[in-house]
Amino acid sequence: MGELLNGRQMMNMGTGNTARRVVGGIALVAAFTATSAGPAHAINTVRTWNSSSNPLIVRDDAGVSQGRGYGTWKVAQTSNGTRSLGNGQLKDDRPTGASVYIHMRTQTNSSLCVTNPVFSCSGDNWGTTDYGDSDRTNSDRWITISQMSQRVNTTASAARGRFQVCEDRRLSPDRCTGATVTTGDTF
């Protein structure tokens, strides 16, 4: 009774073997479910973006460091639903100049980025669904930026964080580092 039956064996059984067919069918469904399970969910897995020994550094036109930052990111279930949560360490290397901040974008693998031009997309079909900036600082000491919280597109199954450190410029566009992107996580 513990053997798995293939479709032909099940069809060749007589009508008196209904119980055996039901048990065989259940075993077949259980075997299929066990072998086709998707990847484990990575919700609440903390991902790092850069580090204290390798921070993102924003520089002025002459190449002089203006500020630096690094941090962590994760996707989490909160009382506000599924959220993208970023934390960081931020430092202004020239505290008498313009302030610095962290710019965070939440990207998801939603098809919206293909069908809606409002969402910007990258090569792997990752689209930006929310973005924002941390508080600004002029501190020449490392400060903690806690819980930048952004929505996650509900039609997606994975998200990632995209980070930049920027200098707030008064009369011109802000200068930012190149972006660093965390590993995408399913939720």
Side-chain angles (χ1 to χ4, degrees), residues 84-115:
S84 170
L85 305 173
N87 295 295
Q89 296 293 315
L90 185 61
K91 178 181 174 183
D92 191 335
D93 291 337
R94 294 187 60 193
T96 58
S99 58
V100 294
Y101 62 94
I102 296 169
H103 178 75
M104 176 178 142
R105 288 181 179 266
T106 296
Q107 297 181 320
T108 61
N109 65 344
S110 170
S111 61
L112 283 176
C113 71
V114 197
T115 60

Side-chain angles (χ1 to χ4, degrees), residues 12-69:
N12 288 336
M13 287 193 277
T15 56
N17 292 321
T18 303
R20 190 169 183 192
R21 275 186 277 157
V22 169
V23 170
I26 291 170
L28 186 61
V29 169
F32 176 77
T33 302
T35 60
S36 65
H41 293 293
I43 202 150
N44 288 320
T45 300
V46 176
R47 304 291 183 183
T48 59
W49 58 273
N50 292 72
S51 65
S52 60
S53 62
N54 183 30
L56 287 177
I57 300 174
V58 60
R59 299 180 187 279
D60 67 9
D61 293 332
V64 176
S65 175
Q66 302 298 302
R68 58 190 67 218

